[in-house]
Amino acid sequence: MNRTKIPFMKMTGSGNDFILIDNRQMLISPEEAAELARKACRHKLSVGADGFILIENDREADFSWRFFNSDGSEAEMCGNGARCAARFAALKDIVKSSSMVFRTGAGLIRAEITGSTQVKVQIPSVSEIKLYVSVSLDGLNDTKYLEAEQNQLVVHFANTGVPHVVIFCKGRDELDNIDVVKLGRFIRFHPQFSPRGTNVNFVWISGENEVFIRTYERGVENETLACGTGSIAAAVISSALGKTHSPVAVNTKGGETLRVFFNKKEDGFTEVFLEGQALVVCEGLLWDETLVN
């Protein structure tokens, strides 16, 4: 690789960090984007991030994005990444107003800058809601997780642009002590959710409209400090079970509280929005030296 150094901005949304690049001039070709994302997202060896976002031109929307997980896999949607993308577009004058529409792999979404660092984004749809799904824990070495009767764990599922499993904990201690990586990875690769796999969220409902969450993210293959689409899944599923109503405050591992807004109807959820901060960490130039191996 031998090119002009690539300008980038690093941003964080609730502890989920991203590398963002203005790619409207197609400095990065579609063919090399996934590998570049994988290399640039490596911690200690390059910039390091949970995700990699390319902002590109769109004929109908204000702009479009391509979103990559840190392993180079492409994802349709990321709530925290979407907030960062919206603020990035505003900071770089890609859009001229505080409101915008941009295209993701999950469809067009609306976004609005609601404060100096606060962004509210709409999730295109919530679908495939499945409550009380029984998942076998056969093959998991240590099965002392939650209440698994006859080695069957009851979970819930929703697609919030990407697939999410939600598992409810009885209390804060249970949430704090759960082995998120071990159990999360087991369910993420479970045959029941193949071939695409799933993200896995562990949730404690602490009050009428408040939950705490820990998330194992597909693509990152680890626990992350926050997940926007996972926070939405936790909010809508807890509402579907009659435990919460809009707006739901979602307390993340990173310490920020996200707010999820929605309209609940008999056949599902509409007007689903996620609001939280999108903060700039730094700007710089990405050199080839950290992208060669």
Side-chain angles (χ1 to χ4, degrees), residues 14-31:
S14 307
N16 239 177
D17 58 343
F18 308 96
I19 298 166
L20 294 101
I21 295 172
D22 182 352
N23 199 42
R24 290 176 296 165
Q25 303 304 316
M26 300 306 292
L27 179 64
I28 300 167
S29 70
E31 295 76 22

Side-chain angles (χ1 to χ4, degrees), residues 93-104:
D93 289 326
I94 296 170
V95 295
K96 304 300 182 182
S97 71
S98 60
S99 298
M100 65 199 78
V101 176
F102 63 98
R103 189 180 305 279
T104 71

Side-chain angles (χ1 to χ4, degrees), residues 28-44:
I28 300 167
S29 70
E31 295 76 22
E32 65 183 337
E35 184 65 8
L36 179 62
R38 184 187 68 80
K39 290 178 176 178
C41 287
R42 295 176 300 173
H43 290 281
K44 298 186 180 181

Side-chain angles (χ1 to χ4, degrees), residues 134-266:
S134 184
V135 175
S136 171
L137 296 183
D138 290 344
L140 186 64
N141 294 333
D142 183 0
T143 58
K144 294 178 181 178
Y145 290 110
L146 306 166
E147 290 188 357
E149 296 185 7
Q150 297 182 339
N151 222 29
Q152 299 286 317
L153 181 64
V154 174
V155 307
H156 311 277
F157 181 87
N159 189 318
T160 58
V162 288
H164 279 277
V165 159
V166 173
I167 301 169
F168 288 102
C169 299
K170 279 189 171 181
R172 183 63 184 267
D173 286 345
E174 192 170 71
L175 178 66
D176 289 343
N177 293 318
I178 194 77
D179 191 335
V180 169
V181 174
K182 186 172 184 178
L183 183 56
R185 183 175 291 137
F186 180 84
I187 295 174
R188 179 263 190 267
F189 289 105
H190 199 284
Q192 197 160 331
F193 302 104
S194 67
R196 62 183 177 175
T198 183
N199 300 279
V200 186
N201 306 274
F202 302 89
V203 178
W204 170 51
I205 301 175
S206 58
E208 181 181 359
N209 273 335
E210 182 178 51
V211 304
F212 285 76
I213 187 170
R214 296 177 67 188
T215 300
Y216 180 93
E217 279 203 55
R218 178 188 69 164
V220 178
E221 305 311 337
N222 208 335
E223 181 176 9
T224 55
L225 293 179
C227 175
T229 52
S231 295
I232 291 168
V236 298
I237 287 177
S238 61
S239 177
L241 294 172
K243 305 294 186 181
T244 63
H245 57 80
S246 179
V248 178
V250 182
N251 298 290
T252 68
K253 177 74 171 178
E256 184 182 352
T257 299
L258 300 172
R259 292 202 302 165
V260 180
F261 303 80
F262 51 83
N263 288 333
K264 182 180 178 181
K265 298 188 176 181
E266 290 186 3

